Amino acid sequence: MDTETATAIMEFIIEFTKANNLAESDSKSTTALVVHFDALNHRLKIDMQKEYIKMLRNYDELFDFLMTKGRHIYDKKLNTKWTYRIMPGKKYSQDNRCKKNLFLPLKQKRFYRFNLFVLYHEPLPLKYYGTEEEYYTLTEKLTKDIEVCLEKNTSIEKKYRHINHLADYINTEFQDFFDDPKITVEIIGSTHTKLDLDDSDLNLGIRISPSEIKKDASLCDTQNWGNTLYDPHYLAQCLRKMGMKATLPIPSAKRTQFTEPKTGLQCFIGVDDGLVFERDTMIIKYLKLDKRVKPLIIAILKLSRSCYMSALSTYSYVLMTLHFLMNVLENPVILNLQNLPVECNSTDCFLT
């Protein structure tokens, strides 16, 4: 997407938010401006049709576009930089910035039922003594330095190519074994989210479409696991036929461990009814909210590994980090996506 189009959309958003503020106002220029997010999206689609179409060629929706822009908008007229958030009305009313009168109450209670687009000036850290422009220049430089450092220390593209090739091979073999193209083997876990370390295991999930599970209820019946995808012993037999080594069924975990002979990579495979893949998708969306989230999580994982803090899983560290960034900090770095209305394709959505 070209810079001119992106800038035009951002400038429109500023003007629309200023003109349609749903929050009470005061004399301070630092208080937030709030609009109904769906109304903003609708007006943008009508008033900037060409730019909106260009945006959709690169992003699924306006939300994705805004989340990848760094959550900062430069206002040429005021020569200042705005920060924006997208949050449910209930979250807005509970935000810590309400206590500091940065987020003022909304004019009508019904507005709290909507998803809101909030535009405000982020106060500078108390320990920083430079100008606002210098502060943002410094933070942008640090962000780029972090990205470069991450690339230098996680240059494992060759590993991913091999992993993808292995997953494709096992996927093809399983479809032949069970004569069912609707069964797919996909990478799950930290390798899927690209949060794995150099010595991480590979987790593979056998995905069965919900419609197929409904047709064959025996797949979910533990008494009928023999010679099915849910039987770790049967999976071990299939893997041995593929040439995999050290196959070890783990019935308690409903998965099978094996070793890829060429590289000695330790792998695990089991049936994923959708929950794990949905979980991975959720994590990937959080990583896209801010470029600094992924390096932070990887640094925490490396630190925990070097200090032999292995009692918790990677997923646990990810959850704690995301919780800290969205709920503990006085000025949250990321928003809580699960407070937004989203569609879940898993049969166990209530667990996510």
Side-chain angles (χ1 to χ4, degrees):
M1 184 175 178
D2 60 277
T3 305
E4 184 178 347
T5 301
T7 302
I9 291 176
M10 289 299 198
E11 290 177 349
F12 176 87
I13 289 174
I14 292 177
E15 296 305 317
F16 178 85
T17 307
K18 288 180 180 178
N20 299 275
N21 184 25
L22 302 179
E24 296 179 0
S25 58
D26 62 8
S27 57
K28 296 180 181 179
S29 60
T30 56
T31 53
L33 304 175
V34 184
V35 292
H36 188 329
F37 180 71
D38 288 341
L40 169 62
N41 185 40
H42 178 70
R43 181 50 57 186
L44 181 65
K45 187 187 300 185
I46 294 175
D47 292 358
M48 303 195 71
Q49 191 173 17
K50 292 182 179 179
E51 290 82 356
Y52 195 88
I53 292 174
K54 285 184 179 180
M55 179 194 70
L56 293 182
R57 291 173 184 166
N58 297 273
Y59 303 93
D60 292 335
E61 55 186 353
L62 177 62
F63 177 83
D64 292 333
F65 166 74
L66 290 171
M67 288 301 98
T68 58
K69 299 307 292 182
R71 296 198 307 283
H72 294 296
I73 305 179
Y74 184 72
D75 190 341
K76 291 183 178 179
K77 292 183 178 180
L78 298 178
N79 192 28
T80 186
K81 183 174 286 190
W82 292 89
T83 301
Y84 60 85
R85 294 287 186 275
I86 301 169
M87 61 176 68
K90 184 178 180 181
K91 184 73 174 179
Y92 175 88
S93 64
Q94 298 171 350
D95 196 283
N96 290 330
R97 283 162 286 203
C98 287
K99 299 176 183 178
K100 298 183 177 181
N101 293 325
L102 293 176
F103 287 9
L104 296 179
L106 302 183
K107 296 175 182 177
Q108 297 184 31
K109 290 184 178 180
R110 64 185 181 89
F111 295 148
Y112 289 104
R113 300 197 304 266
F114 305 137
N115 287 327
L116 305 174
F117 178 83
V118 185
L119 192 66
Y120 62 99
H121 289 291
E122 189 86 72
L124 295 178
L126 296 177
K127 294 183 179 179
Y128 184 77
Y129 300 100
T131 64
E132 183 176 4
E133 183 179 357
E134 291 171 341
Y135 169 73
Y136 283 112
T137 301
L138 176 62
T139 54
E140 288 173 3
K141 181 180 182 302
L142 286 173
T143 300
K144 291 180 180 178
D145 290 343
I146 291 172
E147 291 176 8
V148 172
C149 181
L150 177 66
E151 290 178 3
K152 287 183 178 179
N153 289 279
T154 57
S155 55
I156 49 178
E157 288 303 318
K158 186 176 181 180
K159 172 188 173 183
Y160 282 123
R161 284 198 297 270
H162 176 73
I163 286 174
N164 290 329
H165 177 74
L166 175 61
D168 290 340
Y169 170 71
I170 294 177
N171 177 55
T172 302
E173 292 295 311
F174 265 94
Q175 289 179 350
D176 290 341
F177 278 141
F178 293 93
D179 193 25
D180 189 351
K182 294 182 180 179
I183 293 175
T184 59
V185 176
E186 300 185 35
I187 298 170
I188 58 175
S190 59
T191 310
H192 180 205
T193 59
K194 300 293 180 70
L195 291 174
D196 55 326
L197 304 180
D198 293 340
D199 57 348
S200 296
D201 300 329
L202 170 63
N203 287 285
L204 298 172
I206 303 171
R207 303 197 70 194
I208 306 173
S209 65
S211 59
E212 291 300 309
I213 294 177
K214 290 178 181 178
K215 288 180 183 178
D216 189 357
S218 64
L219 287 176
C220 299
D221 185 356
T222 57
Q223 301 300 320
N224 297 313
W225 274 5
N227 293 337
T228 69
L229 290 171
Y230 283 81
D231 181 3
H233 295 279
Y234 186 62
L235 288 180
Q237 293 178 21
C238 297
L239 290 166
R240 282 194 290 271
K241 291 179 181 179
M242 297 179 199
M244 301 301 153
K245 303 296 182 182
T247 56
L248 176 64
I250 311 175
S252 60
K254 302 177 184 177
R255 60 180 186 167
T256 302
Q257 177 182 331
F258 66 95
T259 301
E260 199 277 324
K262 290 184 179 180
T263 61
L265 178 65
Q266 183 168 287
C267 311
F268 294 87
I269 188 170
V271 174
D272 170 30
D273 293 331
L275 183 59
V276 176
F277 203 83
E278 291 286 350
R279 183 190 74 184
D280 292 346
T281 303
M282 176 196 71
I283 293 174
I284 291 171
K285 286 186 177 294
Y286 274 114
L287 296 180
K288 290 181 178 179
L289 293 181
D290 194 301
K291 296 178 181 179
R292 299 167 294 179
V293 176
K294 181 178 178 179
L296 174 62
I297 293 176
I298 290 180
I300 292 173
L301 293 174
K302 283 183 175 287
L303 177 64
S304 65
R305 187 72 61 87
S306 64
C307 297
Y308 303 100
M309 299 161 55
S310 57
L312 296 176
S313 64
T314 297
Y315 183 53
S316 299
Y317 283 112
V318 171
L319 286 185
M320 289 192 294
T321 305
L322 295 178
H323 171 74
F324 175 80
L325 294 175
M326 73 174 71
N327 294 319
V328 178
L329 293 175
E330 185 175 353
N331 295 319
V333 175
I334 58 175
L335 75 163
N336 190 335
L337 294 178
Q338 285 142 297
N339 280 341
L340 300 176
V342 293
E343 181 181 352
C344 175
N345 297 319
S346 170
T347 56
D348 297 316
C349 279
F350 63 91
L351 294 175
T352 58

